[in-house]
Amino acid sequence: MLFLNLHYMDSKHEENHIAMTEQSIEYIVVGTDDDARKIAILSRDASSSDDAPVLVWLGGYRSDMTGTKAVELDRFAAENGLGCIRLDYSGHGASGGDFNRGTISRWLEETLAVLRHKTARRIILIGSSMGGWIALRAIEELRRSKEGPHVAGLLLIAPAPDFTADLIEPNLSEMEKASLIERGYFEEPSEYSSEPNIFTRALIEDGRDNLVLKGIIETGCPVHILQGMQDDDVPYNHALKLLNHLPADDVVLSLVRDGDHRLSRPQDIERMLAAARSLVSSGKTQRS
């Protein structure tokens, strides 16, 4: 089932003055020997006893768990007595490891390790940009193994599944192709940082082994997609393509007419939290 929401007007954002409990970073080690890396986790336990699913934040490429959307999601969890888990992939934020060794497989392995470590029974995955790809792959792996938490809902924000194959490779310049061959990576200016984005040959090659837009995707849970129509990084047509691969799930697609890739404005945060609230409510109904 599909519902298409077009948002044409901005909504007001009310300041949230809830007192936040100080959280300490927890570390787990993923991998062995030279491949071992310390993965940073911020989490809060549920304070309510209604057995609602735990919110799990999966950030984007070069993003971290202290970004605006991640923090606001945790704030929402604190307000509503929900559990919340955030993590930094290796090479990101407070985690160890070499960013340039990062691949979808590597970051997926870390995500699954955190989920197993935290032992939540039911979760809602919230994936932003590349985090949407990792969320979809995590669902595949959890369903395949039949171990770990049950995914009760999926919220994708400007999702970028298969971005290496669909959005990078077709648009490589001859200079970038040569750099990949000769140096193993290429650089491009970042709109969000003074440091360039680095895309490695390993990331691109590994991406081909993790493609999800190649057939029917069965998540087994309600899905809500938030996508800006002014997104220059992941065009909204990519979200429409993803939609075509989700015929078996209940999917809500919200297109934000004036939204960019980050979707971090107050009105965008409100939309994200409204979607999270709906998925939490649905998750509670699944248990009743």
Side-chain angles (χ1 to χ4, degrees):
M1 184 182 298
L2 164 67
F3 299 90
L4 179 63
N5 298 337
L6 294 177
H7 298 281
Y8 295 115
M9 299 180 66
D10 292 345
S11 56
K12 294 181 179 179
H13 177 68
E14 297 180 0
E15 290 292 333
N16 186 344
H17 297 293
I18 185 170
M20 301 297 289
T21 302
E22 189 71 25
Q23 292 171 280
S24 298
I25 294 179
E26 176 186 5
Y27 290 93
I28 64 171
V29 176
V30 179
T32 58
D33 300 326
D34 292 342
D35 196 41
R37 58 269 191 204
K38 290 174 62 176
I39 302 302
I41 307 167
L42 282 172
S43 64
R44 69 171 60 253
D45 294 331
S47 60
S48 170
S49 59
D50 61 4
D51 198 29
V54 173
L55 305 179
V56 178
W57 174 260
L58 300 176
Y61 193 75
R62 293 188 65 190
S63 182
D64 65 53
M65 60 182 173
T66 62
T68 301
K69 294 188 292 292
V71 169
E72 289 299 328
L73 183 74
D74 182 71
R75 187 187 300 271
F76 167 80
E79 281 187 310
N80 291 278
L82 302 171
C84 185
I85 301 169
R86 295 177 280 162
L87 68 136
D88 283 334
Y89 315 121
S90 57
H92 290 70
S95 286
D98 182 356
F99 175 83
N100 292 329
R101 294 184 63 184
T103 62
I104 299 301
S105 292
R106 188 176 175 88
W107 294 327
L108 172 63
E109 177 190 17
E110 296 157 4
T111 298
L112 294 172
V114 169
L115 294 179
R116 295 187 188 103
H117 172 72
K118 299 307 294 185
T119 66
R121 286 188 297 167
R122 298 188 309 126
I123 59 175
I124 293 173
L125 292 175
I126 300 96
S128 177
S129 193
M130 183 187 74
W133 188 359
I134 292 175
L136 290 166
R137 283 290 291 115
I139 289 175
E140 285 185 339
E141 293 302 316
L142 289 170
R143 287 169 66 91
R144 180 180 294 115
S145 70
K146 297 182 180 179
E147 297 179 352
H150 169 72
V151 180
L154 178 62
L155 173 53
L156 303 175
I157 304 164
D162 301 5
F163 77 88
T164 51
D166 283 6
L167 302 178
I168 292 182
E169 288 195 78
N171 298 303
L172 289 173
S173 67
E174 292 304 315
M175 184 177 297
E176 289 167 339
K177 291 178 183 177
S179 181
L180 281 172
I181 294 172
E182 296 167 6
R183 300 193 294 170
Y185 68 92
F186 75 91
E187 299 178 352
E188 70 172 17
S190 171
E191 182 180 344
Y192 312 112
S193 170
S194 59
E195 298 180 359
N197 287 325
I198 296 176
F199 298 101
T200 66
R201 184 169 62 232
L203 175 70
I204 292 173
E205 291 177 348
D206 177 80
R208 298 176 195 140
D209 296 328
N210 284 280
L211 301 179
V212 294
L213 302 179
K214 59 185 187 300
I216 292 176
I217 301 172
E218 295 188 57
T219 68
C221 67
V223 181
H224 197 131
I225 302 171
L226 294 176
Q227 176 67 50
M229 296 183 72
Q230 304 303 316
D231 188 338
D232 294 328
D233 296 305
V234 182
Y236 73 89
N237 284 336
H238 198 66
L240 298 178
K241 179 179 180 179
L242 170 59
L243 190 65
N244 288 331
H245 290 270
L246 291 164
D249 296 320
D250 287 338
V251 181
V252 176
L253 170 63
S254 297
L255 292 177
V256 184
R257 190 176 190 179
D258 62 346
D260 60 10
H261 184 60
R262 304 184 77 170
L263 290 178
S264 292
R265 302 169 303 176
Q267 61 268 34
D268 299 324
I269 297 298
E270 286 188 358
R271 293 179 181 115
M272 177 188 76
L273 298 183
R277 184 176 294 107
S278 176
L279 289 172
V280 169
S281 177
S282 175
K284 291 179 181 179
T285 302
Q286 293 173 27
R287 296 289 294 177
S288 62

